[in-house]
Amino acid sequence: MASKKDFLKETIKHIDIKKHNVVKLVDDMQNMAFSARDLNRAARIYDMMLNDKSCAIILTLAGSIFSAGLKKVVFDLVNNNMVDAIVSTGALMIDQDFFEALGFKHYIGTPRSDDNLLRELHIDRIYDTFIDEDELRVCDETCAKIFDGLEPKPYSSRELLQEFGKYLDKNGGPKVDDSVIYAAYKKNVPIFVPAFSDCSAGFGFIIHQTNHPDKHVSIDSAKDFLELTQIKLNAKETGIFMIGGGVPKNFTQDIVVAADILVEDASMHKYAVQITVADERDGALSGSTLKEASSWGKVSTTYEQMVYGEATVVLPLIAGYAYHKGSWKERKPHEFQKLFIEEKQTA
Amino acid sequence: MASKKDFLKETIKHIDIKKHNVVKLVDDMQNMAFSARDLNRAARIYDMMLNDKSCAIILTLAGSIFSAGLKKVVFDLVNNNMVDAIVSTGALMIDQDFFEALGFKHYIGTPRSDDNLLRELHIDRIYDTFIDEDELRVCDETCAKIFDGLEPKPYSSRELLQEFGKYLDKNGGPKVDDSVIYAAYKKNVPIFVPAFSDCSAGFGFIIHQTNHPDKHVSIDSAKDFLELTQIKLNAKETGIFMIGGGVPKNFTQDIVVAADILVEDASMHKYAVQITVADERDGALSGSTLKEASSWGKVSTTYEQMVYGEATVVLPLIAGYAYHKGSWKERKPHEFQKLFIEEKQTA
Amino acid sequence: MASKKDFLKETIKHIDIKKHNVVKLVDDMQNMAFSARDLNRAARIYDMMLNDKSCAIILTLAGSIFSAGLKKVVFDLVNNNMVDAIVSTGALMIDQDFFEALGFKHYIGTPRSDDNLLRELHIDRIYDTFIDEDELRVCDETCAKIFDGLEPKPYSSRELLQEFGKYLDKNGGPKVDDSVIYAAYKKNVPIFVPAFSDCSAGFGFIIHQTNHPDKHVSIDSAKDFLELTQIKLNAKETGIFMIGGGVPKNFTQDIVVAADILVEDASMHKYAVQITVADERDGALSGSTLKEASSWGKVSTTYEQMVYGEATVVLPLIAGYAYHKGSWKERKPHEFQKLFIEEKQTA
Amino acid sequence: MASKKDFLKETIKHIDIKKHNVVKLVDDMQNMAFSARDLNRAARIYDMMLNDKSCAIILTLAGSIFSAGLKKVVFDLVNNNMVDAIVSTGALMIDQDFFEALGFKHYIGTPRSDDNLLRELHIDRIYDTFIDEDELRVCDETCAKIFDGLEPKPYSSRELLQEFGKYLDKNGGPKVDDSVIYAAYKKNVPIFVPAFSDCSAGFGFIIHQTNHPDKHVSIDSAKDFLELTQIKLNAKETGIFMIGGGVPKNFTQDIVVAADILVEDASMHKYAVQITVADERDGALSGSTLKEASSWGKVSTTYEQMVYGEATVVLPLIAGYAYHKGSWKERKPHEFQKLFIEEKQTA
């Protein structure tokens, strides 16, 4: 009979944008049509954000892009001051980034699988990628252990993600050299996960709160919203670079309205780029156009661009373009994490 | 110059599945192909759930379907014991259902709008639908007021949604006769919103927590996860009816794994149906197949069906089929809300 | 080992719009949003075409919709004077309609098939539908036989399709009561297949022309274009009802430009409705909007509506709406086939 | 008032794959997931075709890809012996390639246009691209002039496309250095357009046949099918590289069945790659999987790959990969055009 080893053979390898100078390729898309022209404009708008000294850049992440080989791209953005805050799904940060930081891997699989057999073998499938479910359980338990070690009270996800970075630091560093959580921890780039129970950390919470029914760590996602809004208020201008839609997109667009509630005439996001395969026609948020967001007062329409395409192909081109243009070399890190640490220390 | 009144003229009207007996129409789709045959099978699986006395039904909701005229469909499912728990986005429950319960309306608009003009007029656009932004601000503030009135501590979204129902009850009831929050409150159907800060309630929290910086209400989404898992453990069998994907889909599929962590050999969701326009090929959760979920041990493959189609057309057919088949008439309400109230009272 | 019989068990059954009065259901979609509202408007525009005494209606067909159970819908449109000309793919008319007229069937299958096994068993698959390949070969040969019996010269596809109708008539009528080719033959509704070699008839031509290398029947698709343009010139107004895109859509939109070449100021198509799942963003014709067609002078923008959805679900609702509204009862058939027969007789 | 000049300013420029060595970039996609991994495999299969000395390569083209800046890519494939036959839509070959060979251009436009204004200004729109309609009329008339000069009888589209090449040759060559029709003419690469009346040439035919009602040139698309099948029979193995779907895809897959009718046990296409944005779920041909084609005996399943993505981004990567791998340098041209010329001369 087939064993787990038969399926978990070849590992996913993350693409390294630093190795591929795509500037000329993307430049030549400027005078084409359809997605190529859109991709070119999105890349140039991201480069504009990096050149605009007054602009803080918020990266939003959704979709299973780290298990698909795009983790190092985001790592490089963080590590080279190309992003100032991240808003993400929990699966990306915990089940995929933290998971690999613990030394586990993702494996090349196929969508034409016998899913019942995979289940019996404790193999989880994400389209054409396989995961060792037993390793994922170790990840869940590590989350629980981290929560067990914290003072029992409500936390923002940003605070908890920082604790994950601290955990890696104290335990000999991540087992990989491209951990996004760890790089963000070191570079003072805050990470927000507005639906933080919806991932491996949620299982960690199930264990933690069941073991500590009265006094335990809880996640205050309202605090997330307040903190991200404070970043918006602290920055003169903001640009958003969105990979996929979902809660991270909505949450990040909404902070303009939240800022507007706290102070009069908060500025809209000045720049906005989204990579998506979702469509606007079903009215769902993930595919809603940035022009639509403008009616809500969230995004300015001057520098916005949707790129319809799948991220594994599109993101290396846009991020690679911005990396090799080099505008980030002159850029000073915002280190927004300090905003909250100092605040706390003052208080 | 154009005024707000020029745009906010015709209101969205919710379709009433009780008026349209589509049983024969949907029956005749059984021997067709493509989406029609899928739709037929999904309708029959939902009817099987309603006939299975041991099965608790969890409805998950994403996408802007209430502003699109599908609110009364969900209201009728709740009111006729056709659903036992709801997992939803916050926008649907607060910005759309509670918003209408306060007496506000959604308006017929067009995707070909001048979004800059709309912004100036305080009109928000969802594809082809308009909203009065000033009314939405009233909704935000009402949320803040509700939070101001609660004991400052962490709550699950389920507890807070119940408070919204209670608020409507105390203030003369909803201003409409098809409020989902209110019907669920009356029928003891718990509503979970795992990313509760990501909606009008989030703005309410911004106001509430800013005004009460030290002691305030917070949302514990980990508690959400624990509570929904308790429902799973309490039910002998479960079926899930998913409209769209996103966090509600993932969260609800994940409780099988969570249950498995708490007790040995928790059962998978026995039935699963999803209406979606998302595709599986980008690996994102919203479009991931139910067969893929089976590899994770979340969903049994015997009775599962994806229906690729837009909910405004597909949901009235599936829900209408199940309503007019009448299997719900014999069904006893699970009233899972009592699970938590009794628990509390015992404790 | 598996045999063909194991796979070809349950036949596809065509839906009968006459049995399902969906007028109220579709009417109630008028004040919803997204695809439901679009579907409602498309249904009302089709009904307007039927009410407009000066309007000739051209139906364009693409996609494998007859094997999917939509053949009787088109039959009913032809039989009840709800369409005056058809522009179609060859697969629909020959491989599916004529094939069933010869007594063969389509079978319920599954997309999760072992396609190599199917090939060995001579079973052809269309997504979730099976076909007996040996029966399809009989269809090819019947085409060759029909061509063998004709005077060797170039024909328009319209002329050849009429010969297919005549063939059925002479051979005891079709073996089914819902043949579109036969109904069109009887009602003098011309059928055009601009890419007529791209189907079972193409295989018939391969046999016919190989057996008659010097003198043989050929297809003059330029003549098709001229004849359809003559219909356009003959009609005071035209409306187009398009199921899918492809060559039939482009061909039918183009006759406005062709008419404009022949006479000055030919009128645009006054009404236009399209059901499609294709998107406009890749610039391909199938998903190109009717507004875009307007820039080419092909379609007037006043009464046009795209409906994004899969035809097996959407067409029964739109066609059923128009059928049960009954506007066709007052409609006089245009019998455009006579245009060419009389012309010939005069000449 | 706006004039045509205000809209037709910047021209579309064709991307040059020779300038961008993407081999390492595409190689690094091999161990990723989703579309990147699919794209990598498709590129490697195309390279396998080029390395297989016994394999003839048929390129199929659909979608408005030449007006979008991909014309030079196809030119380079023809010019460097990377393709042995082309099956295309008429719009690509006549309205776009021949149109540019006459010295006309495509212009950068926007999908957010006032299409009624464009119509008044004689500007045609393809999503985000503009065309001067008056120039297109010149193209129509040039087609008519070419037909006027030919012996009145039925032609295959291949023969006519060759006449277009000859016309350019006699009139001082194309006005651009990247004409696909001209390169194919010079390299003896036959071009087939199975629905040849469905483009600017169709308007040419309208003029030609109206002016010469009795004796005129006609298109025999059955002859097209026979000729392409003869190519299949002449080649030991075949590989197909498909950009988009439509008639070109179906036609080219079908020649395997046609070959099987003419000789026993004709071989399937050994290699098959398709770039598409269409989905398989509506059962239409454009999105039907290559595995499905295998059930029909058209395509072998060993080396087949679908790539879901838009061609302007995906094709430069796949074609660029194959170009810079250089396997074509060892490749001998098949010059299938000679097959028909010699045949004629013998006869």
Side-chain angles (χ1 to χ4, degrees):
Chain A
M1 196 205 140
S3 81
K4 199 191 266 187
K5 293 227 159 178
D6 297 326
F7 289 87
L8 306 182
K9 283 175 171 170
E10 286 177 273
T11 60
I12 295 284
K13 291 190 183 65
H14 297 286
I15 196 164
D16 186 342
I17 52 170
K18 304 190 296 300
K19 285 186 185 165
H20 308 289
N21 190 331
V22 295
V23 172
K24 283 182 187 168
L25 175 69
V26 173
D27 271 339
D28 280 5
M29 290 178 170
Q30 182 163 3
N31 299 301
M32 293 178 69
F34 310 157
S35 296
R37 198 199 299 162
D38 291 346
L39 188 159
N40 168 277
R41 187 158 185 266
R44 286 185 294 122
I45 289 175
Y46 182 35
D47 189 51
M48 287 171 72
M49 297 188 210
L50 292 165
N51 268 310
D52 184 338
K53 301 246 179 296
S54 62
C55 176
I57 300 173
I58 305 173
L59 177 71
T60 86
L61 302 172
S64 190
I65 60 173
F66 284 3
S67 67
L70 290 172
K71 193 184 68 170
K72 197 194 282 292
V73 175
V74 175
F75 169 83
D76 282 324
L77 298 186
V78 172
N79 213 35
N80 293 295
N81 301 329
M82 297 172 76
V83 53
D84 302 303
I86 294 175
V87 182
S88 174
T89 65
L92 280 172
M93 285 302 145
I94 308 303
D95 304 50
Q96 301 187 3
D97 184 80
F98 187 66
F99 175 83
E100 291 199 354
L102 295 175
F104 304 127
K105 296 285 175 197
H106 294 93
Y107 295 88
I108 288 178
T110 164
R112 298 239 148 197
S113 301
D114 175 347
D115 288 311
N116 289 320
L117 174 62
L118 292 184
R119 187 178 63 248
E120 282 167 32
L121 296 174
H122 286 212
I123 295 170
D124 297 339
R125 181 170 71 84
I126 298 177
Y127 190 56
D128 58 1
T129 306
F130 293 152
I131 301 156
D132 184 332
E133 190 174 293
D134 297 313
E135 292 178 352
L136 211 47
R137 292 280 169 114
V138 174
C139 183
D140 301 347
E141 284 152 21
T142 309
C143 292
K145 211 167 68 180
I146 292 174
F147 302 145
D148 287 350
L150 297 178
E151 183 190 348
K153 58 163 191 148
Y155 291 79
S156 71
S157 65
R158 181 199 57 76
E159 293 172 301
L160 291 173
L161 262 295
Q162 203 181 9
E163 294 296 333
F164 277 77
K166 204 178 285 176
Y167 172 89
L168 290 173
D169 213 30
K170 282 184 181 163
N171 288 272
K175 297 229 161 62
V176 293
D177 59 3
D178 56 4
S179 166
V180 171
I181 286 179
Y182 191 68
Y185 173 74
K186 286 290 181 185
K187 306 281 295 182
N188 287 311
V189 171
I191 300 175
F192 294 86
V193 178
F196 195 47
S197 64
D198 186 32
C199 70
S200 175
F203 301 119
F205 271 115
I206 290 276
I207 301 167
H208 169 71
Q209 292 197 354
T210 304
N211 288 341
H212 306 81
D214 298 326
K215 288 199 145 195
H216 50 239
V217 171
S218 68
I219 331 162
D220 183 4
S221 71
K223 195 174 181 189
D224 279 331
F225 198 37
L226 193 55
E227 288 183 353
L228 190 62
T229 303
Q230 284 162 348
I231 286 178
K232 169 74 199 153
L233 290 171
N234 188 270
K236 202 170 160 210
E237 302 286 359
T238 42
I240 48 180
F241 183 13
M242 298 179 281
I243 322 299
V247 169
K249 174 183 178 180
N250 199 41
F251 197 80
T252 306
Q253 290 192 348
D254 272 359
I255 58 169
V256 179
V257 183
D260 201 52
I261 286 172
L262 294 185
V263 303
E264 223 161 298
D265 286 323
S267 66
M268 289 191 279
H269 292 304
K270 184 174 175 183
Y271 309 93
V273 160
Q274 186 187 2
I275 300 172
T276 185
V277 293
D279 193 276
E280 67 172 323
R281 289 187 303 260
D282 68 335
L285 186 275
S286 292
S288 65
T289 64
L290 298 169
K291 293 193 202 306
E292 178 177 320
S294 171
S295 80
W296 296 73
K298 294 169 182 175
V299 173
S300 168
T301 54
T302 315
Y303 304 115
E304 58 82 11
Q305 185 63 54
M306 302 284 282
V307 185
Y308 294 93
E310 201 269 312
T312 56
V313 173
V314 172
L315 182 58
L317 295 176
I318 294 179
Y321 178 90
Y323 176 81
H324 289 280
K325 288 288 276 188
S327 307
W328 52 271
K329 289 172 189 169
E330 308 294 314
R331 214 173 169 263
K332 268 176 55 185
H334 280 78
E335 297 189 292
F336 285 124
Q337 197 69 277
K338 288 184 176 169
L339 199 69
F340 305 105
I341 298 166
E342 281 155 21
E343 208 171 62
K344 213 185 269 173
Q345 287 169 337
T346 322
Chain B
M1 196 204 141
S3 81
K4 200 191 265 186
K5 293 228 158 176
D6 298 326
F7 290 87
L8 306 182
K9 283 175 171 170
E10 287 176 274
T11 60
I12 295 285
K13 291 192 182 65
H14 297 286
I15 196 163
D16 186 343
I17 53 170
K18 303 189 299 298
K19 286 186 185 166
H20 308 289
N21 190 332
V22 295
V23 172
K24 282 183 187 168
L25 174 69
V26 173
D27 271 339
D28 279 5
M29 290 178 171
Q30 183 163 2
N31 298 301
M32 294 177 69
F34 311 156
S35 295
R37 197 200 298 162
D38 291 346
L39 188 159
N40 169 277
R41 186 158 186 266
R44 288 184 294 123
I45 289 175
Y46 183 34
D47 189 51
M48 286 171 71
M49 297 188 211
L50 292 164
N51 267 310
D52 184 339
K53 301 245 178 298
S54 62
C55 175
I57 300 173
I58 305 173
L59 177 72
T60 87
L61 303 171
S64 191
I65 61 174
F66 284 2
S67 66
L70 289 173
K71 193 184 68 171
K72 197 194 281 293
V73 175
V74 174
F75 169 83
D76 282 324
L77 298 185
V78 172
N79 213 35
N80 293 295
N81 301 330
M82 297 173 77
V83 53
D84 303 303
I86 294 175
V87 182
S88 173
T89 65
L92 280 172
M93 285 302 144
I94 308 303
D95 306 49
Q96 301 187 5
D97 184 80
F98 187 66
F99 175 82
E100 291 199 354
L102 295 176
F104 304 127
K105 295 284 176 199
H106 293 92
Y107 295 89
I108 287 178
T110 164
R112 297 238 150 196
S113 300
D114 175 347
D115 289 310
N116 290 320
L117 174 62
L118 292 183
R119 186 178 63 248
E120 282 167 32
L121 296 174
H122 287 212
I123 294 171
D124 297 338
R125 181 170 71 84
I126 298 177
Y127 190 56
D128 58 2
T129 307
F130 293 152
I131 302 156
D132 185 331
E133 189 174 292
D134 297 312
E135 293 177 353
L136 210 46
R137 293 279 168 113
V138 174
C139 183
D140 300 347
E141 284 154 19
T142 309
C143 292
K145 212 167 68 181
I146 292 173
F147 302 145
D148 287 350
L150 296 177
E151 181 190 348
K153 59 163 189 149
Y155 291 79
S156 71
S157 65
R158 182 199 56 76
E159 292 172 303
L160 291 174
L161 263 295
Q162 204 181 7
E163 293 297 334
F164 278 77
K166 204 178 286 176
Y167 173 89
L168 290 173
D169 213 30
K170 282 186 182 162
N171 289 272
K175 298 230 161 63
V176 292
D177 59 3
D178 56 4
S179 166
V180 171
I181 286 179
Y182 192 68
Y185 173 74
K186 287 290 181 187
K187 304 281 296 183
N188 286 310
V189 171
I191 299 174
F192 295 85
V193 178
F196 195 48
S197 64
D198 186 32
C199 70
S200 175
F203 301 119
F205 271 115
I206 290 276
I207 301 168
H208 169 71
Q209 292 196 353
T210 303
N211 289 340
H212 305 81
D214 297 326
K215 288 199 144 196
H216 51 238
V217 170
S218 69
I219 330 161
D220 183 4
S221 71
K223 196 175 180 188
D224 279 331
F225 198 37
L226 193 55
E227 288 183 353
L228 190 62
T229 303
Q230 284 162 348
I231 286 177
K232 170 74 200 152
L233 291 170
N234 188 271
K236 203 171 158 212
E237 302 286 0
T238 42
I240 48 179
F241 184 13
M242 297 179 281
I243 322 300
V247 168
K249 174 184 178 179
N250 199 40
F251 197 79
T252 306
Q253 291 193 347
D254 272 0
I255 58 169
V256 178
V257 183
D260 202 53
I261 286 173
L262 295 185
V263 304
E264 223 161 297
D265 286 323
S267 66
M268 288 189 280
H269 292 303
K270 185 174 175 183
Y271 309 94
V273 159
Q274 186 186 2
I275 299 171
T276 184
V277 292
D279 192 275
E280 66 170 324
R281 288 187 305 261
D282 68 334
L285 186 275
S286 293
S288 64
T289 63
L290 298 169
K291 291 193 203 308
E292 178 177 319
S294 172
S295 80
W296 296 74
K298 296 169 181 174
V299 173
S300 168
T301 54
T302 316
Y303 305 115
E304 58 83 11
Q305 185 63 53
M306 303 284 282
V307 185
Y308 294 93
E310 202 270 310
T312 56
V313 173
V314 172
L315 182 57
L317 295 176
I318 295 180
Y321 179 90
Y323 177 81
H324 289 279
K325 287 288 277 188
S327 307
W328 53 270
K329 288 173 189 168
E330 307 294 314
R331 213 173 170 263
K332 267 175 53 183
H334 280 78
E335 298 190 291
F336 284 125
Q337 197 70 275
K338 289 184 176 170
L339 199 69
F340 305 106
I341 297 165
E342 281 155 21
E343 208 171 61
K344 215 185 268 176
Q345 287 170 338
T346 321
Chain C
M1 196 205 140
S3 79
K4 199 190 264 185
K5 293 228 157 178
D6 297 327
F7 289 88
L8 306 182
K9 284 176 171 171
E10 287 176 274
T11 60
I12 295 285
K13 291 192 183 66
H14 296 286
I15 196 164
D16 186 342
I17 53 170
K18 303 188 298 298
K19 285 187 185 165
H20 308 289
N21 190 331
V22 295
V23 172
K24 282 184 187 167
L25 174 69
V26 173
D27 271 339
D28 279 6
M29 290 178 170
Q30 183 164 3
N31 299 299
M32 294 176 69
F34 311 157
S35 295
R37 198 200 297 161
D38 290 345
L39 188 159
N40 169 277
R41 187 157 185 269
R44 287 185 293 121
I45 289 175
Y46 182 35
D47 189 51
M48 286 172 72
M49 296 188 212
L50 292 165
N51 268 310
D52 184 337
K53 301 246 180 294
S54 62
C55 176
I57 300 173
I58 305 172
L59 177 71
T60 86
L61 303 172
S64 190
I65 62 174
F66 284 2
S67 66
L70 289 173
K71 193 185 67 171
K72 198 195 281 292
V73 175
V74 175
F75 169 83
D76 282 325
L77 298 186
V78 172
N79 213 35
N80 293 295
N81 301 330
M82 297 173 77
V83 53
D84 302 304
I86 295 176
V87 182
S88 173
T89 65
L92 281 170
M93 285 302 145
I94 308 302
D95 305 49
Q96 301 187 3
D97 185 79
F98 187 65
F99 175 83
E100 291 199 354
L102 294 176
F104 305 127
K105 296 284 175 197
H106 293 93
Y107 295 88
I108 288 179
T110 163
R112 297 238 149 198
S113 301
D114 176 346
D115 289 309
N116 290 320
L117 175 60
L118 292 183
R119 187 177 61 248
E120 283 166 31
L121 296 174
H122 287 211
I123 295 171
D124 297 338
R125 179 169 72 83
I126 297 177
Y127 190 57
D128 58 1
T129 307
F130 293 152
I131 301 156
D132 185 332
E133 190 174 290
D134 297 313
E135 293 178 351
L136 210 47
R137 292 278 169 115
V138 174
C139 184
D140 300 347
E141 285 153 20
T142 309
C143 293
K145 212 166 68 182
I146 292 174
F147 302 146
D148 287 350
L150 295 178
E151 181 190 350
K153 58 161 190 150
Y155 291 78
S156 72
S157 65
R158 181 199 57 74
E159 292 172 302
L160 292 173
L161 263 295
Q162 203 182 7
E163 295 297 333
F164 277 77
K166 205 178 286 175
Y167 173 89
L168 291 173
D169 213 29
K170 283 186 180 162
N171 289 272
K175 297 229 162 62
V176 293
D177 59 3
D178 56 3
S179 166
V180 171
I181 286 180
Y182 192 69
Y185 173 73
K186 287 289 182 189
K187 305 280 296 181
N188 286 311
V189 171
I191 300 175
F192 295 85
V193 177
F196 194 46
S197 63
D198 186 33
C199 71
S200 175
F203 301 119
F205 272 114
I206 290 276
I207 301 168
H208 168 71
Q209 292 197 353
T210 303
N211 289 340
H212 305 80
D214 297 326
K215 287 198 143 195
H216 50 239
V217 170
S218 69
I219 330 161
D220 183 4
S221 72
K223 196 175 180 189
D224 279 332
F225 198 36
L226 192 56
E227 288 183 353
L228 191 62
T229 302
Q230 284 162 348
I231 287 177
K232 171 72 200 156
L233 290 171
N234 188 271
K236 202 170 160 208
E237 302 285 0
T238 43
I240 48 179
F241 183 12
M242 296 178 281
I243 321 301
V247 169
K249 175 183 177 180
N250 199 41
F251 197 79
T252 306
Q253 291 193 349
D254 272 359
I255 56 169
V256 179
V257 183
D260 203 51
I261 286 173
L262 295 185
V263 303
E264 224 161 298
D265 286 323
S267 66
M268 289 190 279
H269 292 304
K270 184 173 176 184
Y271 310 93
V273 159
Q274 187 187 2
I275 301 172
T276 185
V277 294
D279 193 275
E280 67 171 322
R281 288 186 305 260
D282 68 335
L285 186 274
S286 293
S288 65
T289 64
L290 298 170
K291 291 193 202 309
E292 179 177 318
S294 172
S295 80
W296 296 74
K298 295 169 181 174
V299 173
S300 167
T301 54
T302 316
Y303 304 114
E304 57 83 14
Q305 185 65 53
M306 302 285 282
V307 185
Y308 294 92
E310 202 270 310
T312 56
V313 173
V314 172
L315 182 58
L317 295 175
I318 294 179
Y321 178 89
Y323 177 81
H324 289 279
K325 288 288 278 190
S327 307
W328 51 272
K329 289 172 188 168
E330 307 294 315
R331 215 174 168 261
K332 267 176 53 184
H334 281 76
E335 297 189 289
F336 285 124
Q337 197 69 276
K338 289 184 176 170
L339 200 67
F340 305 105
I341 297 166
E342 281 155 21
E343 209 171 62
K344 216 186 267 176
Q345 287 169 336
T346 321
Chain D
M1 196 206 143
S3 80
K4 199 191 265 186
K5 293 228 158 177
D6 298 326
F7 289 87
L8 306 182
K9 283 177 173 169
E10 287 177 273
T11 60
I12 295 285
K13 291 192 182 64
H14 297 284
I15 196 163
D16 186 343
I17 53 170
K18 302 189 299 298
K19 286 187 185 165
H20 308 289
N21 190 331
V22 296
V23 172
K24 283 184 186 166
L25 175 69
V26 173
D27 271 340
D28 280 5
M29 291 178 170
Q30 182 164 3
N31 299 300
M32 294 177 69
F34 310 157
S35 295
R37 198 200 297 162
D38 291 345
L39 188 160
N40 169 278
R41 188 158 184 266
R44 287 184 295 121
I45 290 175
Y46 183 35
D47 189 51
M48 286 171 72
M49 297 188 211
L50 291 165
N51 268 309
D52 184 337
K53 300 246 178 297
S54 62
C55 176
I57 301 173
I58 304 172
L59 177 71
T60 87
L61 303 172
S64 189
I65 61 174
F66 284 1
S67 67
L70 290 173
K71 193 184 66 171
K72 197 195 281 291
V73 175
V74 175
F75 169 83
D76 282 325
L77 298 186
V78 172
N79 214 34
N80 293 295
N81 301 329
M82 298 171 76
V83 54
D84 302 304
I86 295 175
V87 183
S88 173
T89 65
L92 280 172
M93 285 302 144
I94 308 303
D95 306 49
Q96 301 187 3
D97 184 80
F98 187 65
F99 175 82
E100 291 200 353
L102 295 176
F104 304 127
K105 296 285 175 195
H106 293 92
Y107 295 89
I108 288 180
T110 164
R112 298 239 148 198
S113 300
D114 176 344
D115 288 311
N116 289 320
L117 175 61
L118 292 183
R119 188 177 61 247
E120 282 167 31
L121 295 175
H122 287 212
I123 294 170
D124 297 339
R125 180 169 72 84
I126 298 177
Y127 191 57
D128 58 1
T129 306
F130 293 153
I131 301 156
D132 185 330
E133 191 174 291
D134 298 312
E135 294 178 351
L136 211 46
R137 293 277 169 117
V138 174
C139 184
D140 300 347
E141 284 153 20
T142 309
C143 292
K145 211 167 67 180
I146 292 173
F147 302 146
D148 287 351
L150 296 178
E151 183 190 348
K153 58 162 190 154
Y155 291 79
S156 72
S157 64
R158 181 199 57 76
E159 292 172 302
L160 292 173
L161 263 295
Q162 204 182 6
E163 295 296 334
F164 277 77
K166 205 177 286 177
Y167 173 88
L168 290 173
D169 212 29
K170 283 186 182 162
N171 288 272
K175 296 230 163 61
V176 294
D177 59 3
D178 57 4
S179 165
V180 172
I181 286 180
Y182 192 68
Y185 172 73
K186 286 290 181 187
K187 305 281 295 184
N188 286 311
V189 171
I191 300 174
F192 295 86
V193 178
F196 195 47
S197 63
D198 186 32
C199 70
S200 175
F203 301 120
F205 272 114
I206 289 276
I207 300 168
H208 168 71
Q209 293 196 353
T210 302
N211 289 341
H212 305 80
D214 297 325
K215 288 198 144 196
H216 50 240
V217 170
S218 69
I219 331 162
D220 183 4
S221 72
K223 195 174 180 189
D224 279 332
F225 198 36
L226 192 55
E227 287 183 351
L228 191 61
T229 304
Q230 284 162 348
I231 287 177
K232 171 73 199 153
L233 291 171
N234 188 269
K236 204 172 158 208
E237 301 285 0
T238 43
I240 48 179
F241 184 13
M242 297 178 282
I243 322 300
V247 169
K249 175 183 178 180
N250 199 42
F251 197 80
T252 306
Q253 291 193 348
D254 272 0
I255 57 167
V256 180
V257 183
D260 202 51
I261 286 173
L262 295 185
V263 303
E264 225 162 294
D265 286 323
S267 66
M268 289 190 280
H269 292 303
K270 185 173 175 184
Y271 309 93
V273 160
Q274 187 187 2
I275 301 172
T276 185
V277 294
D279 193 275
E280 66 171 323
R281 289 187 304 260
D282 68 334
L285 186 274
S286 292
S288 65
T289 63
L290 298 169
K291 291 191 204 309
E292 180 177 319
S294 172
S295 80
W296 295 73
K298 295 170 183 173
V299 174
S300 167
T301 54
T302 315
Y303 304 115
E304 58 83 12
Q305 185 63 55
M306 302 285 282
V307 185
Y308 295 92
E310 201 270 309
T312 56
V313 173
V314 172
L315 181 58
L317 296 176
I318 294 179
Y321 178 89
Y323 176 82
H324 289 280
K325 288 288 277 190
S327 307
W328 52 271
K329 288 172 190 169
E330 307 294 315
R331 215 175 169 260
K332 267 176 54 186
H334 280 77
E335 297 190 290
F336 285 124
Q337 197 69 278
K338 289 184 177 172
L339 200 68
F340 304 105
I341 297 166
E342 282 155 21
E343 208 170 61
K344 215 184 268 176
Q345 288 169 337
T346 321

